[in-house]
Amino acid sequence: MRNLILLVLAIVTPAAHSQRLEAPVDRSAYYTPDTATTNDLRRVPMPKGFMEPPGAVLVRNARLFDGTGAPARPAAVLIEGSHITQIAKTEADLRLPSGVVIIDAAGKTLMPGLIELHGHLTYLERPGMPAAMSEDSQADAALRGAERMRYFIESGITSVRDVGSHGMAPYLLKLWQYTGRIPGPRLFVAGQLIVGTGGHGTESFTFHTAPEYPDSQIYEANGADGFRAAVRLQFKRGADLIKLASHFSPEEVKAAVEEAHRLGLRVTVDAETLFTDMAVAAGVDCVEHPLPRSDATVRLMAKQGTCADVTLVPYQYIINAGGYFFSTSRRFTLSNEAMFAMAKKMKDAGVTLGIGTDMTYGLYKSLPEPYIQELKNFQQLGYTAAAALVVATRTNAEILGMADRLGTVEVGKLADLIIVDGRPDENPEDLRKVDQVLLNGQVVVREGRIFVPHHVEEKVRFP
Ligand SMILES: [Zn+2]
């Protein structure tokens, strides 16, 4: 009987998972069942209760949109430490611990925090800034990131996948955030963008690039060994994933993917045309942007489970600004129609689509507008408002590799939650009214503003 069940499972399991060329190494089989690990993609063992906030929080009288695809329903949710521990229709059905802090969400929607799949925390604001605020200043890069983290969290975005930032800045921003020293979303960082010499981002801007400038945003590598070394450098600094961009040779992209996967890291790629084809064949986990690729590659993406972070917003922004010119890594005509056609083609082929906004220059200052616009773009692709919101939460968590901890409101998940004064599952515009944000079980936005508690005074003795 058991064999029969296994056989049936093997038949109904989508080819997506069984035929993936290479996948990141999963080390969980080596852990004992009670091993505590970090809440990031590295999953390194850590002491139990590390960064676990004390106490419990009850969110009552909520209209719960849980991100699983189920319709919104009345609910009370109990959070203990950083995790969701009980969910019931009303608080009368919960076993409440003493000293629980109560948040009344009457008339509001409680839902999982939004996830941003394509951020650049330290991207230069605009050309022509004072020299002290330039690409060569790590201090300015870190401060740019800290400012953007505030905008993200105020907008209800509780996780950001950073896919290309300057030097050590994204790693340090991540460290300062998760140890509670600066407010902001959870960060999952790729570090520097890895390209072949003259690759994307180096051809039409005046960016300084690594390895000559170690603190830059882009790392130019050459040869299979060069790509492996670039991956290992980001891993050493603390990368959660690897970001590649065109151009590269088939051998180079294959080496980078193989190295990253062995280290347990997922790989995403910003590429177009033949380079996307090469990267998908090499087994990348995700492809950024709605740019041209062959029909065979779209089919292969669906078959092996390669996801697409479509990012229509940044290209609509670029098209509005006049277009994308003089770039050797964008050798095709860009149009809104062509982008939507590619996104639609991938959707129809069964490729998993995710939501990212790639806010470069000063676009982050328009938050939450760009994120809401991408949800509306998904509606234009045929998703309902609720289905687009499931992509923004559950599916984005899956693409990130964090679906076991983030993306839905379920018992056992981390309490990254937002309370919205409206019904964003019916109208994305209601995301302008993010009232409260809880991150890791703690209130970080209250009445729409960042809430920073008084620091805990450490005991000190004087003579
Ligand atoms: Zn980008």
Side-chain angles (χ1 to χ4, degrees):
M1 185 60 186
R2 184 140 187 269
N3 283 345
L4 183 67
I5 292 168
L6 286 177
L7 182 67
V8 170
L9 277 176
I11 291 167
V12 299
T13 301
H17 301 289
S18 57
Q19 294 195 13
R20 176 182 286 284
L21 301 182
E22 302 163 52
V25 174
D26 176 6
R27 288 176 172 77
S28 58
Y30 300 100
Y31 296 139
T32 57
D34 59 347
T35 303
T37 61
T38 53
N39 293 318
D40 64 25
L41 293 160
R42 294 164 67 94
R43 304 295 167 100
V44 179
M46 62 173 193
K48 265 207 165 55
F50 180 73
M51 293 314 296
E52 188 85 15
V57 178
L58 165 69
V59 183
R60 68 180 183 194
N61 298 324
R63 175 181 178 272
L64 175 64
F65 179 80
D66 66 12
T68 64
R73 65 184 196 274
V77 175
L78 184 71
I79 298 141
E80 289 172 277
S82 45
H83 289 82
I84 298 164
T85 54
Q86 295 177 52
I87 301 175
K89 194 169 178 187
T90 71
E91 63 191 286
D93 304 319
L94 298 173
R95 297 173 311 282
L96 296 178
S98 58
V100 64
V101 173
I102 294 171
I103 296 173
D104 200 308
K108 296 175 183 148
T109 301
L110 172 69
M111 58 169 283
L114 303 167
I115 297 174
E116 165 64 82
L117 280 186
H118 195 125
H120 294 285
L121 287 167
T122 71
Y123 203 96
L124 285 176
E125 216 160 295
R126 68 182 79 90
M129 296 292 277
M133 299 173 74
S134 77
E135 63 187 295
D136 295 329
S137 167
Q138 280 285 283
D140 193 58
L143 289 167
R144 289 196 295 272
E147 183 198 25
R148 280 166 222 191
M149 286 163 74
R150 175 161 70 89
Y151 286 48
F152 279 122
I153 200 80
E154 284 172 351
S155 307
I157 296 167
T158 52
S159 285
V160 173
R161 188 176 73 149
D162 186 277
V163 289
S165 276
H166 290 76
M168 281 303 295
Y171 300 114
L172 291 167
L173 288 164
K174 174 185 160 161
L175 187 67
W176 278 64
Q177 186 280 332
Y178 86 73
T179 52
R181 300 176 76 179
I182 55 170
R186 286 180 199 277
L187 299 180
F188 300 90
V189 302
Q192 291 167 320
L193 171 64
I194 302 169
V195 304
T197 292
H200 179 60
T202 73
E203 78 283 42
S204 55
F205 302 113
T206 53
F207 289 151
H208 290 160
T209 58
E212 285 79 7
Y213 293 87
D215 292 339
S216 63
Q217 185 181 2
I218 302 175
Y219 190 105
E220 289 181 301
N222 288 290
D225 285 348
F227 270 70
R228 280 185 204 280
V231 168
R232 284 181 177 165
L233 176 65
Q234 305 312 318
F235 177 75
K236 179 182 178 182
R237 290 173 167 184
D240 294 296
L241 73 151
I242 294 298
K243 168 90 175 292
L244 307 174
S246 59
H247 45 248
F248 34 67
S249 68
E251 294 71 31
E252 287 169 336
V253 66
K254 194 168 179 301
V257 170
E258 192 180 83
E259 192 64 34
H261 281 177
R262 188 181 297 131
L263 296 171
L265 306 183
R266 293 187 178 205
V267 181
T268 193
V269 65
D270 169 334
E272 42 84 25
T273 65
L274 64 157
F275 297 105
T276 302
D277 298 349
M278 278 180 210
V280 172
V284 292
D285 303 279
C286 188
V287 179
E288 306 297 307
H289 309 314
L291 309 179
R293 69 207 67 182
S294 69
D295 288 352
T297 286
V298 172
R299 285 195 297 275
L300 186 57
M301 287 177 73
K303 189 174 168 191
Q304 69 187 21
T306 314
C307 305
D309 176 20
V310 282
T311 70
L312 292 150
V313 153
Y315 289 93
Q316 290 175 319
Y317 182 64
I318 288 166
I319 289 166
N320 252 3
Y324 204 136
F325 304 115
F326 305 111
S327 164
T328 48
S329 64
R330 295 288 186 263
R331 280 187 265 189
F332 50 84
T333 306
L334 194 63
S335 77
N336 205 38
E337 295 70 30
M339 294 190 312
F340 268 92
M342 178 50 72
K344 187 82 171 50
K345 185 183 280 187
M346 290 194 288
K347 176 176 180 274
D348 292 347
V351 175
T352 301
L353 307 189
I355 287 182
T357 61
D358 194 9
M359 287 174 281
T360 49
Y361 297 117
L363 188 54
Y364 68 93
K365 289 178 182 167
S366 304
L367 270 169
E369 178 75 36
Y371 202 95
I372 291 171
Q373 173 64 26
E374 192 69 2
L375 289 167
K376 289 184 188 166
N377 286 334
F378 268 63
Q379 287 181 283
Q380 204 176 318
L381 285 171
Y383 292 73
T384 62
L389 219 47
V390 170
V391 174
T393 53
R394 188 189 73 189
T395 309
N396 271 8
E398 286 166 5
I399 293 174
L400 199 49
M402 290 296 295
D404 58 332
R405 302 189 189 200
L406 299 173
T408 61
V409 184
E410 292 177 290
V411 170
K413 292 281 177 90
L414 288 164
D416 286 10
L417 306 168
I418 65 176
I419 299 172
V420 183
D421 191 4
R423 298 185 168 205
D425 50 312
E426 293 172 4
N427 181 7
E429 289 286 343
D430 280 357
L431 284 173
R432 294 182 195 286
K433 296 176 281 184
V434 172
D435 182 55
Q436 303 218 38
V437 178
L438 283 92
L439 197 127
N440 210 42
Q442 288 178 301
V443 175
V444 292
V445 171
R446 202 181 255 183
E447 292 174 7
R449 292 170 186 223
I450 294 271
F451 171 73
V452 181
H454 195 285
H455 77 276
V456 178
E457 295 169 28
E458 281 189 11
K459 291 273 176 279
V460 60
R461 287 169 65 93
F462 294 105

